[in-house]
Amino acid sequence: MRGVISILSLMVSSPLFVLGDNGFPSLPPGFHNDLDDVSVSAGYFHTCAIEARPGQDFGGTLKCWGDNKHGQSDPPEGTFVQVSAGFYHTCAVGIDEQVKCWGNKKHIGHVPKGLFTQVSAGEFHSCGVMKDGSVVCWGANHFNEATPNSGDFVQVTCGSSSTCGLRQNGLVECWGKNDMGQSDPPANKVYKQISSSLNKHVCGVEHDTEAVSCWGSNIREQSEPQEGPFQQVSAGAFSTCAIREDQTVLCWGAHQPIPHISMQGDEDLVYDQISLGMDHACGVTADGDLHCWYTGSDHGAHNVPLGFSVA
């Protein structure tokens, strides 16, 4: 309920807002980032991505690399449309709209049945958005991180013992651990995409200004606000990266994992998606090429398989 009054005041001057069935102002369908474009995910020390296949227009098979001590880099067979790499486990939505998870069994928990539009793997828990807009969670629940708020959402993102969801009206609600303010989003901001890190901070692209604002831990300045316009943001362990309107990348925080020097100076190199892990980041170019770079020991999570093309 927090932030509703401030958002209602926007309805007077903005034709974008209509009254939803729940009495809250809602944004038109498609206001949020298309989550079907999430084809690569950088986990703690591993990476998973959906590989393009000739003759296959939508989705693809999964490949993972990097740390595999818990089987988090051993994806199942099948065709998938969205993937999320967490701490020691990974989850993905199949073309049949079912969710599959693999890796540390204690972290995975019991994956619920049903049809999903999106999934997010956190540190020790996971959550997904069902086709009816509700959120379900599974895995660890020590701080109620796997006890979602009721109602409809368009995106969910899991972090370290906390979860945030993006409502149909662009407002963010969070639940779970809040020792660093990671579950206390701004009450008066409307977002089109959000991203939780595995280290207690969350960032989002604001709907109107397309600036990036963050909440939670800021000990390495990873939560400093950035003026837009941006298209997408990804929160890493101690840093954050976002894609500008011209599709170039801006990073800030402790490590600032900007693209590797070998990729700099190429004016034609632009990105459609970016994802941050613990010590590495991966970006998908407009041509479907996948580039990863690292700032420390990432267990080979930046070593993209030769000839890999993102779906």
Side-chain angles (χ1 to χ4, degrees):
M1 294 294 290
R2 184 176 53 196
V4 172
I5 294 177
S6 61
I7 297 303
L8 282 172
S9 64
L10 295 176
M11 295 175 61
V12 177
S13 58
S14 175
L16 290 174
F17 291 89
V18 295
L19 199 62
D21 292 338
N22 59 0
F24 285 34
S26 296
L27 289 167
F31 80 90
H32 58 287
N33 284 8
D34 186 359
L35 296 171
D36 288 337
D37 290 337
V38 182
S39 299
V40 61
S41 183
Y44 189 63
F45 282 129
H46 73 292
T47 303
C48 290
I50 301 174
E51 186 173 21
R53 292 292 185 179
Q56 190 165 308
D57 296 330
F58 186 62
T61 55
L62 277 168
K63 278 191 176 180
C64 303
W65 55 92
D67 186 21
N68 195 34
K69 294 177 182 177
H70 301 271
Q72 66 268 40
S73 294
D74 283 331
E77 296 182 353
T79 300
F80 295 87
V81 298
Q82 188 248 322
V83 63
S84 179
F87 195 66
Y88 288 139
H89 73 291
T90 309
C91 294
V93 179
I95 198 167
D96 60 358
E97 300 179 318
Q98 302 282 330
V99 165
K100 290 184 179 180
C101 299
W102 58 97
N104 189 298
K105 293 182 179 180
K106 291 183 179 180
H107 299 179
I108 293 174
H110 179 70
V111 182
K113 300 294 184 180
L115 302 181
F116 290 79
T117 61
Q118 184 242 332
V119 69
S120 177
E123 186 176 21
F124 303 129
H125 76 294
S126 305
C127 296
V129 179
M130 307 290 289
K131 287 203 71 174
D132 64 2
S134 62
V135 167
V136 294
C137 302
W138 56 97
N141 196 31
H142 304 300
F143 301 93
N144 291 322
E145 65 268 34
T147 305
N149 294 349
S150 60
D152 295 339
F153 292 85
V154 295
Q155 187 204 345
V156 67
T157 176
C158 296
S160 174
S161 300
S162 64
T163 309
C164 290
L166 182 64
R167 289 284 190 184
Q168 291 179 332
N169 53 17
L171 295 177
V172 176
E173 292 182 10
C174 303
W175 52 93
K177 197 171 184 178
N178 195 36
D179 58 323
M180 298 291 287
Q182 66 268 39
S183 293
D184 190 18
N188 60 346
K189 292 185 182 294
V190 179
Y191 293 89
K192 65 178 183 179
Q193 181 249 330
I194 54 175
S195 173
S196 293
S197 77
L198 292 176
N199 197 31
K200 302 181 180 181
H201 84 286
V202 187
C203 295
V205 178
E206 296 178 20
H207 179 268
D208 296 328
T209 66
E210 295 188 323
V212 167
S213 55
C214 306
W215 57 96
S217 176
N218 194 34
I219 58 175
R220 302 295 178 89
E221 298 185 345
Q222 68 269 37
S223 293
E224 291 297 306
Q226 305 292 327
E227 293 185 2
F230 291 100
Q231 297 181 354
Q232 184 238 330
V233 66
S234 179
F238 296 103
S239 56
T240 305
C241 289
I243 299 178
R244 299 184 181 96
E245 188 177 40
D246 63 1
Q247 293 183 278
T248 57
V249 174
L250 174 69
C251 298
W252 60 97
H255 302 312
Q256 297 185 10
I258 58 175
H260 191 271
I261 190 170
S262 63
M263 293 185 283
Q264 296 179 25
D266 187 346
E267 296 179 357
D268 296 326
L269 192 62
V270 294
Y271 290 89
D272 285 336
Q273 187 213 332
I274 192 167
S275 180
L276 271 63
M278 178 64 182
D279 278 325
H280 75 293
C282 295
V284 181
T285 70
D287 296 327
D289 293 330
L290 178 61
H291 298 292
C292 297
W293 53 96
Y294 70 111
T295 58
S297 176
D298 67 347
H299 299 266
H302 70 288
N303 293 324
V304 181
L306 186 65
F308 186 90
S309 182
V310 178

